Amino acid sequence: MSVSMYDIAIPTFQKQLSALDAILDKAEAYASAKKVDIAVLLAARLYPDMFNLTRQVQLATDFAKAAPARLAGIEVPSFPDTETTLPELKARVAKVQALLAAYKPEQLDGSDTRQLTLKLGGTDVTLSGRDYLLHVALPNFYFHCTTAYNILRHNGLEVGKRDFLGRT
């Protein structure tokens, strides 16, 4: 039994972005209850040389919007990274969710063997669509979602594995 690239990519990005959005809602409630300026959480990072929460959300959404576009052979939507508030970050997540919802399975048909050339670390790399999705896009997407989660958990937000995984 084969699994389509659409079935691997689109529902995966949608589900995890929904979980990320729910965690951002919890962060807003937490900040309000603890009388913490939400801007403090948005600027928080796990280590000085790591990106802050805002940038982690931006990067997670970047991978979620870029991967299906590349696999479909269409231009990757470009969003400026100008979000400075929680509502703006949530709007970005919603915008990517809307993009994902518009894809049709046939747009990704055959993308598993399509050759994609990307700049990775400043070097042109050519990969099959399958290798790109499974070994570049999804791992990076999960890394930034996980890091966003960990920043909030580190700052006292009471979330657990079920929050990260979202609804099944």
Side-chain angles (χ1 to χ4, degrees), residues 41-168:
L41 292 178
L42 296 177
R45 57 187 76 225
L46 291 177
Y47 196 77
D49 68 351
M50 293 180 76
F51 290 127
N52 64 23
L53 176 62
T54 296
R55 189 71 182 126
Q56 298 296 341
V57 173
Q58 290 168 338
L59 287 164
T61 57
D62 283 348
F63 280 97
K65 71 179 170 62
R70 286 186 176 123
L71 293 171
I74 62 176
E75 187 174 336
V76 174
S78 178
F79 299 171
D81 297 325
T82 57
E83 295 84 10
T84 59
T85 68
L86 189 61
E88 290 172 344
L89 282 177
K90 288 181 58 59
R92 183 181 178 116
V93 171
K95 191 172 174 182
V96 173
Q97 287 284 39
L99 289 172
L100 294 171
Y103 281 99
K104 304 290 181 240
E106 53 273 10
Q107 288 179 275
L108 276 64
D109 284 352
S111 65
D112 56 325
T113 58
R114 181 178 299 127
Q115 296 297 297
L116 305 172
T117 301
L118 315 163
K119 279 227 183 283
L120 298 177
T123 304
D124 283 343
V125 176
T126 301
L127 315 156
S128 69
R130 178 182 181 275
D131 285 345
Y132 164 68
L133 180 61
L134 296 177
H135 304 297
V136 176
L138 286 172
N140 276 283
F141 172 72
Y142 276 117
F143 174 85
H144 294 293
C145 288
T146 302
T147 304
Y149 167 93
N150 286 334
I151 288 169
L152 290 169
R153 183 68 187 106
H154 177 75
N155 280 276
L157 183 63
E158 293 183 16
V159 288
K161 186 189 222 179
R162 288 185 185 184
D163 296 292
F164 178 79
L165 295 176
R167 294 186 178 187
T168 320

